[in-house]
Amino acid sequence: MTPTGPLVELHDVTVAYGRRPVVWNVDLVIDEPCLFGIIGPNGAGKSTLLKAALGLVPLVGGEVRFFGEPLGRVRSRVGYVPQRETVDWDFPVNVMDVVLMGTYGRLGWFRRPGDRERRLARECLDRVGLADVAGRQIGRLSGGQQQRVFLARALAQQADIYFLDEPMAGVDVRSQERIFHVLDDLKAAGSLVVVVHHDLRTAAEWFDRVALVDRRVVAAGRTGETLTPENLQRTYAGHVDVLDDLAQAIAARGRTP
Amino acid sequence: MTAAAGLVSYNTVVVALGVAAVGFAAGVVGSLCVLRKRALAGDAAAHATLVGVACAFLATGRRDLVTLLVGAFVAACVGLGMLVLLRRFTRTRDDAATALVIGVSFGLGITLVSGLPAWGYANSAGLEQFLLGHTAALTARDAWLLAAVATVAVAVVAAILKEATLVAFDSAFAAATGWPVSGIDYAVVGLVALMVVAGLPAVGAVLVTALVVIPPVAARFWTDRVGTMVVLSGLIGLVAAVAGVAASATRPGLATGPLVVIAAAVVFAVSFFCAPHRGWIARRAEASQGMASQWSDGEVGP
């Protein structure tokens, strides 16, 4: 199946919780495979925007299209990694069980995962470096390992577009590196990877394109052209706590061409 | 004499079978409910059943089990519906909404059931047995019916175990990958309502939720896999139900429900203390071993 429209297209998207608008008038078009970062301060509505794109929170206005189609028609081509804290890690499943959940969408109702799904799941675990803990209960993993299990589950979806919600939150540096490398491989294989991210330094280092979000899109485009001091100032205005981060990010950007 | 003895024992055996099936199914269905963290939904459904029992009797004038249980099921669903509406339209929090439904529906149910004789419904005697459970009055036909309901419930769980587990573990991922999360939730809660109603004759409205909640919580101590937990929970429910019924048969007038709950609680206590890995003793041993190895690590140093 060849894409008939832009990979992802958000048009005039507005989301509200109750009567309080969280993000508004978001226009965003991503038309080629890349590593795409959604960057912004805490409470800027980054995760909400991602959930809205996936139909997990209702839109007050606007529309979202994937490959020029509504999500319902191309769901199997869209992978998702939710925030790690949203699930109970004491749940009685092991690592393999969780990764197999990535195959449920294709399996459909009532069919149980078989040999083919297990092989795929093992492959995905191998890619995130967790093949040796496949049988472990998920609560007995480190935060970084848990995040990689979620990534492996998304890989098992065999999608063309991946959405990741704060995959680096509470994750050790080694797991971060590993995750970024896997995402890079996905991009190289022709997938689009959209990541909600909060750390400006790693953002400048890894993402091809970024959108700076503070309840609306402040700026979007190639990372080098978008992470400018002016744009960052506008995005983080009033968030004094990140000024230090910001300075480092600008410094980091200065080092990379 | 021998014929009578044979008859009694046939009835006893069938009733035991029916109660065992209900206990098993309640444990199986309860696992899904507990994993989805909806343990109190069963309580709301259970306490609403009395209103249904009384209304079914008032509407039909009959007091056979099927009529009363159909009424109980309808009332359980109405109670759960109220729960959903309260949460959606009044922004009452989950726990408060549940407590509200439990209290109000139970108050209404008790008023109806206890008031019926005073209002001239002399033949309403026996309805109050649904309060604490009484298997002595169950006929073989009733027991077969309960067993059939239990079988259907177990079959449905077996069919949707994959989907229900996904929703219970990660509903956002389930929704993002196209699964009808609320539909699956309604199915699970509907099954809980069904098992609460099926458990009503044996355990009674006040305590039947324990038959849905205690077995899965006890089973969780022994295993880290959903499939094993579901089966184990069913077996615990079965044992508790049969043990409770058998114990209540030893003395006339002993209500079944409390004994079933006590039997389940004993299994829970054993699980809590003795289960490998997750049990209290095992965890204490693990903790002290960890301490010991830390000490020995210290001694290895230069």
Side-chain angles (χ1 to χ4, degrees), chain B residues 128-284:
Chain B
E128 74 284 348
Q129 292 196 342
F130 285 97
L131 201 57
L132 293 174
H134 235 287
T135 44
L138 278 183
T139 66
R141 197 171 146 268
D142 295 340
W144 283 120
L145 176 83
L146 294 181
V149 170
T151 308
V152 169
V154 171
V156 173
V157 172
I160 65 165
L161 185 61
K162 179 187 87 190
E163 292 77 9
T165 304
L166 175 67
V167 168
F169 174 61
D170 192 347
S171 59
F173 182 81
T177 46
W179 294 97
V181 170
S182 20
I184 292 169
D185 274 340
Y186 282 130
V188 169
V189 173
L191 283 172
V192 170
L194 191 66
M195 286 327 297
V196 158
V197 169
L200 214 49
V203 191
V206 185
L207 296 172
V208 68
T209 180
L211 196 57
V212 178
V213 174
I214 300 178
V217 176
R220 179 68 184 89
F221 281 101
W222 300 91
T223 175
D224 277 333
R225 303 299 299 279
V226 170
T228 317
M229 175 177 158
V230 168
V231 174
L232 199 56
S233 169
L235 291 175
I236 294 172
L238 185 153
V239 168
V242 172
V245 169
S248 78
T250 57
R251 295 277 184 284
L254 263 185
T256 324
L259 292 167
V260 170
V261 174
I262 289 169
V266 168
V267 178
F268 170 81
V270 171
S271 307
F272 172 79
F273 284 108
C274 304
H277 307 303
R278 293 180 73 88
W280 187 78
I281 295 169
R283 275 186 295 129
R284 283 299 294 258

Side-chain angles (χ1 to χ4, degrees), chain A residues 9 17 29 36 70 87 108 122 127 130 189 193 217-218 241 247-248:
Chain A
E9 191 177 6
Y17 286 137
V29 178
F36 192 102
V87 307
R122 256 191 296 274
R127 281 163 74 184
L130 290 179
V193 182
V217 174
V218 177
D241 51 315
Q248 282 176 320

Side-chain angles (χ1 to χ4, degrees), chain A:
Chain A
M1 206 155 112
T2 47
T4 51
L7 297 175
V8 179
E9 191 177 6
L10 273 67
H11 181 62
D12 203 19
V13 165
T14 298
V15 187
Y17 286 137
R19 283 186 192 160
R20 193 169 53 89
V22 182
V23 287
W24 54 84
N25 307 125
V26 171
D27 278 292
L28 199 61
V29 178
I30 310 175
D31 49 13
E32 60 176 34
C34 63
L35 261 179
F36 192 102
I38 297 179
I39 319 286
N42 282 332
K46 308 183 293 285
S47 292
T48 303
L49 189 60
L50 189 128
K51 285 183 195 140
L54 288 165
L56 299 177
V57 295
L59 303 184
V60 173
E63 68 169 345
V64 180
R65 287 181 169 268
F66 298 88
F67 313 104
E69 308 222 44
L71 177 61
R73 305 181 58 176
V74 290
R75 232 181 249 282
S76 64
R77 302 179 67 187
V78 181
Y80 177 41
V81 177
Q83 286 186 19
R84 188 161 53 89
E85 308 86 71
T86 54
V87 307
D88 169 16
W89 289 92
D90 197 38
F91 203 84
V93 284
N94 65 28
V95 169
M96 178 56 110
D97 295 331
V98 174
V99 178
L100 280 171
M101 288 176 186
T103 68
Y104 286 7
R106 276 167 207 274
L107 278 172
W109 283 96
F110 310 127
R111 277 180 58 206
R112 299 290 161 91
D115 283 345
R116 223 181 61 191
E117 284 74 26
R118 288 183 176 281
R119 253 200 316 277
L120 170 66
R122 256 191 296 274
E123 234 174 75
C124 297
L125 275 175
D126 208 27
R127 281 163 74 184
V128 300
L130 290 179
D132 49 336
V133 294
R136 197 179 292 182
Q137 197 273 329
I138 53 172
R140 294 173 170 263
L141 301 173
S142 73
Q145 287 174 320
Q146 289 176 344
Q147 194 64 62
R148 283 186 277 154
V149 172
F150 263 15
L151 178 58
R153 180 178 67 175
L155 294 177
Q157 289 184 266
Q158 300 186 293
D160 299 314
I161 302 177
Y162 293 89
F163 283 93
L164 294 86
D165 199 346
E166 295 275 11
M168 307 304 174
V171 167
D172 57 288
V173 179
R174 248 188 51 215
S175 281
Q176 274 200 31
E177 285 276 313
R178 182 107 206 182
I179 291 170
F180 268 126
H181 278 294
V182 172
L183 299 183
D184 226 26
D185 291 345
L186 282 174
K187 177 186 78 175
S191 297
L192 165 65
V193 182
V194 181
V195 183
V196 167
H197 194 65
H198 65 278
D199 178 39
L200 285 165
R201 264 173 304 161
T202 40
E205 187 181 340
W206 285 95
F207 294 123
D208 307 308
R209 289 158 179 262
V210 293
L212 285 168
V213 174
D214 186 20
R215 299 179 172 278
R216 67 217 145 77
V217 174
V218 177
R222 296 195 174 283
T223 305
E225 296 151 22
T226 311
L227 287 186
T228 62
E230 302 75 46
N231 283 338
L232 288 171
Q233 205 72 56
R234 279 166 64 209
T235 313
Y236 286 87
H239 296 269
V240 224
D241 51 315
V242 292
L243 280 179
D244 186 39
D245 237 18
L246 204 146
Q248 282 176 320
I250 294 168
R253 202 177 60 82
R255 283 201 302 274
T256 47

